[in-house]
Amino acid sequence: NPSLKLVSLCFLVMKILEFSVRRMLDELVYVPLDFESRYVGKEVIGVFGYRFGKSGMSLGLSGLTSLFGVVGLQELSYITSGVALIWTVTAVQLGNLVPSRAEAESAYKKMKSS
């Protein structure tokens, strides 16, 4: 069983990364957008991504314990590794769908000239 010191250290590291790295990266994502897209995008992601994500994960873990009984650290680490792999594959595939700057500019010029 993990000690209180280990759990506290993990929580501290998680919060440090959340407030230093994630907040900065969130802002960098919205920089190239116009004001309206930036404002609406932040609100939508703030409501759906953060709040529903945390609630959904809580419900998911509760469902796991209901179905399979007590889920130990080893099982949670397997689940976390699997979800991280799925997340990485999905992020790479979605990233490949984003047009390059040159492609976006040519599409914009084409759309504007039509």
Side-chain angles (χ1 to χ4, degrees):
N1 289 340
S3 68
L4 180 60
K5 288 180 183 179
L6 179 64
V7 172
S8 299
L9 178 68
C10 290
F11 189 73
L12 176 69
V13 169
M14 182 188 69
K15 285 300 180 182
I16 288 171
L17 290 174
E18 180 179 355
F19 287 112
S20 62
V21 176
R22 199 196 76 199
R23 299 280 182 185
M24 178 186 64
L25 292 176
D26 282 350
E27 294 301 320
L28 288 175
V29 167
Y30 300 111
V31 166
L33 301 176
D34 62 289
F35 178 76
E36 184 178 346
S37 299
R38 190 179 323 142
Y39 180 77
V40 172
K42 281 184 179 182
E43 292 301 316
V44 168
I45 289 172
V47 170
F48 291 108
Y50 299 142
R51 276 116 184 132
F52 287 145
K54 288 181 179 182
S55 299
M57 183 54 65
S58 175
L59 289 171
L61 289 174
S62 295
L64 277 175
T65 56
S66 296
L67 290 173
F68 302 111
V70 176
V71 179
L73 286 177
Q74 186 174 12
E75 291 84 6
L76 280 178
S77 67
Y78 292 150
I79 293 168
T80 304
S81 298
V83 170
L85 180 66
I86 293 169
W87 183 273
T88 303
V89 169
T90 304
V92 169
Q93 289 176 346
L94 287 174
N96 290 334
L97 294 175
V98 176
S100 68
R101 183 179 201 111
E103 292 170 340
E105 287 176 354
S106 68
Y108 179 73
K109 287 177 185 176
K110 185 178 176 182
M111 181 188 69
K112 194 173 181 181
S113 66
S114 296

